[in-house]
Amino acid sequence: MQMQELKFEIEQGRRTEQTTGNLLSEQRARQELLTRDYDELNARLVAATTEAHAIEKEYLEKNEFFQIAQSRIQEVDNNLTTKRREMFSIAQTVAHLDAKFGSMQTHIEGIREREDHEKEVSIELLNKKVEFENRKRHVEDEFEKARIKYEEVQNKIGKLEVDKKNLNLELSAKRDEVEESKDKFTEISGKLYGLENLQNNFEGFSDGVKNVLLWQKKLGRDDFHPVGEVVEVPQEYELAMEAALGSRLQVLLAKQADLSLAAMDHLKETKGGRSSFVSPMIISKVEGRPEGPGVQCILKEVIESPQMYQNSVEQILDGVAVVDSLNTALRLRENYLDWTFVTVGGELLTHDGILMGGSAEGSDSGLLKRKRESKDLQEQKAIWSETVLRKQNEFKAIEEKINALSRELEQEQQNRGAQEVKRAEIKKDSERAETELRNAQF
């Protein structure tokens, strides 16, 4: 039973499917037909819209033309009315002018007579104008020359003022240089005066040496000189010299042996202390000559002294060598027992084996240093004296330039005043010529 129902339902479904397929085909055919109709109507609508726009545009153009034509017709009508009124007015004016023409003929005759007279006056004024123009050009040329001259004077005054200002600045700087040079000269002179004062009073010498030197100074003689005063030592060997000689720098060199005896008698009589003397003697030389690494020089070979004291100085300095260190001195001593070795720093190994060293400050008498400084200061004093004189001459030269410049500037300022007066006069002449020319044109 169920199988039959099932078969019936299947058959019923087949029939329904066939019926549905036929309806779908029909609906599709109708849709295609409607689509074609829609496309055709849409095309007709676009064409109608385009035609409507064209008709509207044509209407607007023709309406605008119509409005312009209507406006032009109204304007022409108004002009015609105006012209008719003007024509009527002109007819009245012509009648009036005919009446006035007769009186104008008489007036024209009078004007012609006046014209002839005006021509004569015009010719005369033209001649005057030419004369005034020539005069005006002449005055303008004179004014231009005066202006150029005034500018030249003004420029020259400006340049002179700048030059004067620069010279004043240079003068001020040179004044400072002069004062600085004077200060330096005064400073050096003060130092030199102090050293010379010490030297004249024989400061730094022992009492005995000082008394002998003061005694011979009082007698007006020149028989004794300390070793330290007669020798010239290079600066780098000053400490070595003073360490090697020590108090022997104050040994007095005598020209003759009997002079030394007289000096000692004087010291005894005045209880003036003790002093050592050296008289001309036969030189005895220390044997050998240290050589090799560390030996810088033989001391007596690097100093200078007057010829009359040379033998005595060489005797005092004989057997002294300058080395680079005490180690070198100790090494050399093994072969040179009679020699004294000294370093440039003032360290000393004597021939009898005594070592001396330490700080260099205060280790020397200062005689050589004071002598060298005195000599240097004398040279510097001479240089600065010349410098001061030269700076003063330069200062005076600048002052003279400024004075000459001031005189020239004053003269140019007077010229400028005269040019200003002349320009004012020419300007008045120019204004007068301009007025005359303007009147001549009228």
Side-chain angles (χ1 to χ4, degrees), residues 19-36:
T19 303
T20 304
N22 292 333
L23 290 173
L24 180 61
S25 298
E26 184 180 352
Q27 290 294 327
R28 286 178 178 171
R30 290 180 64 187
Q31 182 181 3
E32 290 176 358
L33 183 59
L34 290 172
T35 300
R36 285 196 300 271

Side-chain angles (χ1 to χ4, degrees), residues 2-13 15:
Q2 291 178 350
M3 288 295 293
Q4 291 178 353
E5 292 176 357
L6 183 60
K7 289 180 179 179
F8 178 78
E9 290 178 356
I10 291 172
E11 185 65 24
Q12 187 70 28
R15 293 177 179 177

Side-chain angles (χ1 to χ4, degrees), residues 34 159 182 278 332 363:
L34 290 172
K159 183 178 182 302
K182 286 182 178 179
V278 174
L332 292 173
S363 63

Side-chain angles (χ1 to χ4, degrees), residues 168-285:
N168 282 325
L169 293 175
E170 185 179 354
L171 183 68
S172 178
K174 190 62 66 176
R175 182 184 292 107
D176 293 338
E177 291 179 8
V178 171
E179 294 301 322
E180 183 180 351
S181 301
K182 286 182 178 179
D183 293 340
K184 190 67 177 178
F185 176 78
T186 302
E187 178 186 355
I188 293 174
S189 297
K191 291 181 179 180
L192 181 61
Y193 175 79
L195 288 177
E196 289 178 344
N197 190 44
L198 292 176
Q199 187 174 357
N200 292 333
N201 293 326
F202 306 109
E203 297 295 335
F205 290 99
S206 65
D207 291 340
V209 175
K210 184 186 295 186
N211 286 328
V212 171
L213 294 175
L214 289 173
W215 172 60
Q216 77 164 357
K217 184 178 180 181
K218 182 179 179 180
L219 295 176
R221 305 187 63 175
D222 189 31
D223 298 326
F224 302 100
H225 291 280
V227 172
E229 284 190 357
V230 300
V231 294
E232 295 289 340
V233 187
Q235 183 177 349
E236 62 269 25
Y237 297 123
E238 283 181 357
L239 279 177
M241 179 76 170
E242 295 187 351
L245 295 188
S247 61
R248 286 185 295 173
L249 281 172
Q250 298 191 28
V251 170
L252 295 174
L253 299 174
K255 295 180 179 179
Q256 298 177 5
D258 56 345
L259 296 175
S260 301
L261 297 176
M264 287 189 287
D265 290 340
H266 171 72
L267 291 175
K268 289 179 182 179
E269 294 174 358
T270 59
K271 297 181 180 182
R274 301 172 63 81
S275 179
S276 300
F277 299 88
V278 174
S279 300
M281 60 184 71
I282 299 175
I283 297 177
S284 59
K285 295 185 178 180

Side-chain angles (χ1 to χ4, degrees), residues 347-378:
E347 298 171 319
L348 184 69
L349 175 61
T350 65
H351 66 279
D352 49 5
I354 298 176
L355 277 172
M356 298 177 63
S359 174
E361 296 180 2
S363 63
D364 56 80
S365 66
L367 294 178
L368 297 178
K369 180 180 178 182
R370 187 173 71 190
K371 178 185 176 184
R372 173 176 54 79
E373 288 180 347
S374 178
K375 182 179 179 181
D376 292 344
L377 287 173
Q378 286 176 347

Side-chain angles (χ1 to χ4, degrees), residues 113 122 201 381-382:
E113 292 178 0
S122 178
N201 293 326
K381 181 181 178 181

